[in-house]
Structure formats: C-alpha cells, structure tokens
Amino acid sequence: MPVIDSSAIPDIGDIKISTTGVLKLLTDLKVHKAAGPDNVTARVLKSCANSIAPIFQKLFQKSVSSGCLPAAWLDANITPIYKKGERSDPANYCFVSLTSIPCKLLEHIIHHHIMDHSDKFNVLADVQHGFRKGRSCETQLSALVDGIMKILDNRSLA
C-alpha cells in the first residue's frame, strides 16, 4: 500500500455552494426518477428550478455549515426491485432506499467536493476504483486480469 504523507495534503476546505450550481443540478434532473418519502417528484423540481434554486442554495449551505440535515431528509422508502427467478422468493429481490431528491442533490455536491480534492492532491491510490469517475468494477477486474497475465508471462520467460 502506498504511504501518504498527510502533511503534504492541505485541508479540504469549506464547501461553497452556488445558486448557479444548484440550478444546473435541478435542470439536469431526470424526470422519470422516483420520488422519496416527501413525494416531491423530479418533474416538479425541474419545472420550478429557476424559482427554487436560490432557496435550495441557502438550505444546502446551511446544512453543510451546521452539519445538520432537515429531519425529513433522514427518511427513506425501502422498495423491493425484482431481479430474476421465482417472484415469491424474497432472495430474488434487491432492496433500495428511496430518499428525497433534494437530499440526493446535496449528497452529490458533497461527493463532488471530496472527489475533486482527492483527485487534485492524489489522495487515493491508483488501484482504488470504487466511486471514482471513469473507473468501475469492470476496470478493476481488467487491471487484475492484466496483472495476473503479466505475472504468468514473466514466469514463462524465466
């Protein structure tokens, strides 16, 4: 594992949320996404984006600054999604938590801030694939297979 000199990495700094950024997130919403327990749909949020972006900007900034979320954002609807096989078997379902869309938007802002900092200062090891842009289970598997093939090739040459 690589050793990271934490003294070389500056503090992440405060998250500054802009109305322009919130507006972009609201206008980019996919209207077919399911609503959370608040029953506020993406279609409603997207159609009101210009009016509500400044309000959400203030709410998001207050949440980040205080470290507290609105109580309603802590709720979720647990929904079973059928995968395959016998429909009467609970093992054939994947359960997902549907949270409110505004909470997901704030999660996106925070995630983006953390990942930008991590990428800028090379905080994460190159072999870290989860939750990184341009990387996935498939890229991790490809890197693993490539590493194994190189080891096997080197053994056959020796």
Side-chain angles (χ1 to χ4, degrees):
M1 293 298 296
V3 176
I4 298 174
D5 179 11
S6 62
S7 65
I9 301 170
D11 289 342
I12 193 166
D14 295 336
I15 299 175
K16 303 289 185 215
I17 300 170
S18 70
T19 302
T20 306
V22 173
L23 179 61
K24 178 166 178 16
L25 289 175
L26 288 167
T27 56
D28 288 349
L29 284 173
K30 293 181 173 76
V31 295
H32 68 278
K33 293 288 184 180
D38 57 6
N39 290 319
V40 178
T41 65
R43 184 178 307 279
V44 168
L45 293 172
K46 187 171 185 164
S47 67
C48 301
N50 288 316
S51 302
I52 62 174
I55 298 165
F56 276 126
Q57 182 275 330
K58 286 180 177 71
L59 180 60
F60 291 166
Q61 192 65 61
K62 179 78 172 174
S63 291
V64 168
S65 299
S66 68
C68 296
L69 290 173
W73 290 3
L74 302 175
D75 293 334
N77 291 335
I78 310 300
T79 304
I81 305 292
Y82 172 71
K83 295 186 295 185
K84 63 180 179 177
E86 188 63 42
R87 288 191 177 268
S88 61
D89 183 358
N92 293 327
Y93 289 83
C94 173
F95 292 88
V96 295
S97 297
L98 299 176
T99 56
S100 72
I101 296 170
C103 186
K104 290 179 193 174
L105 295 178
L106 182 56
E107 288 173 4
H108 174 84
I109 292 167
I110 294 168
H111 177 264
H112 191 285
H113 183 73
I114 292 169
M115 293 310 295
D116 277 354
H117 180 80
S118 298
D119 290 344
K120 183 176 180 180
F121 297 103
N122 295 316
V123 173
L124 301 175
D126 192 49
V127 294
Q128 171 68 39
H129 284 250
F131 306 103
R132 294 184 73 182
K133 191 180 293 184
R135 298 182 186 208
S136 64
C137 295
E138 289 83 5
T139 59
Q140 178 65 55
L141 181 60
S142 177
L144 174 66
V145 170
D146 185 57
I148 291 170
M149 295 304 291
K150 285 179 181 171
I151 290 169
L152 293 174
D153 285 346
N154 288 338
R155 283 189 182 170
S156 68
L157 296 174

